[in-house]
Amino acid sequence: VQLQASGGGAVQAGGSLRLSCEGSGSTFRGYDWLWFRQAPGKERAIVCGIMWSGGNVHCATFVKGRFTMSRDNARSAVYLEMNNLEPEDAAVYYCAATLGGTWVPSSMHYWGKGTLVTVSS
């Protein structure tokens, strides 16, 4: 089972990026999917998560409505549309999936390798 994240890059403040994460080796039926990020010297923190049941999305308060998470169950993929990016959003972004676990890094069953987002002021 693998998760492959992509879509990171360098943008200026106020810009946008769309991250993608595609899974393989499983149907991921029943899995919640999440995006985490980790900036240098900081702990890995949740950005947004989407529930398998109902597809509800929950995001961290720092998102402030700027990010949208979606999923395509047929493709075993999730996406993170990030708008109005701020320098504080610069980090490595990781996708992850958990089957019934709480939404903390230690409860994730699968991780993608991460994709780097750089935001210049």
Side-chain angles (χ1 to χ4, degrees), residues 1-3 23-34 49-56 69-73 76-78 95-103 107-111:
V1 177
Q2 288 187 326
L3 303 184
S24 60
S26 172
T27 62
F28 297 95
R29 182 174 180 81
Y31 282 77
D32 297 343
W33 288 70
L34 295 95
I50 187 166
M51 300 179 67
W52 168 263
S53 177
N56 294 331
M69 185 174 182
S70 60
R71 71 187 292 170
D72 183 340
N73 290 334
S76 296
V78 293
C95 59
T98 182
L99 182 62
T102 55
W103 288 11
S107 294
M108 297 300 108
H109 291 95
Y110 303 110
W111 286 95

Side-chain angles (χ1 to χ4, degrees), residues 10-73:
V11 297
Q12 291 187 329
S16 299
L17 285 172
R18 185 174 187 256
L19 306 184
S20 300
C21 179
E22 294 194 12
S24 60
S26 172
T27 62
F28 297 95
R29 182 174 180 81
Y31 282 77
D32 297 343
W33 288 70
L34 295 95
W35 286 99
F36 290 86
R37 72 185 190 186
Q38 188 166 19
K42 295 188 177 181
E43 293 186 352
R44 194 166 296 189
I46 186 171
V47 179
C48 293
I50 187 166
M51 300 179 67
W52 168 263
S53 177
N56 294 331
V57 175
H58 302 277
C59 295
T61 54
F62 62 74
V63 169
K64 296 178 286 187
R66 300 176 296 132
F67 299 175
T68 302
M69 185 174 182
S70 60
R71 71 187 292 170
D72 183 340
N73 290 334

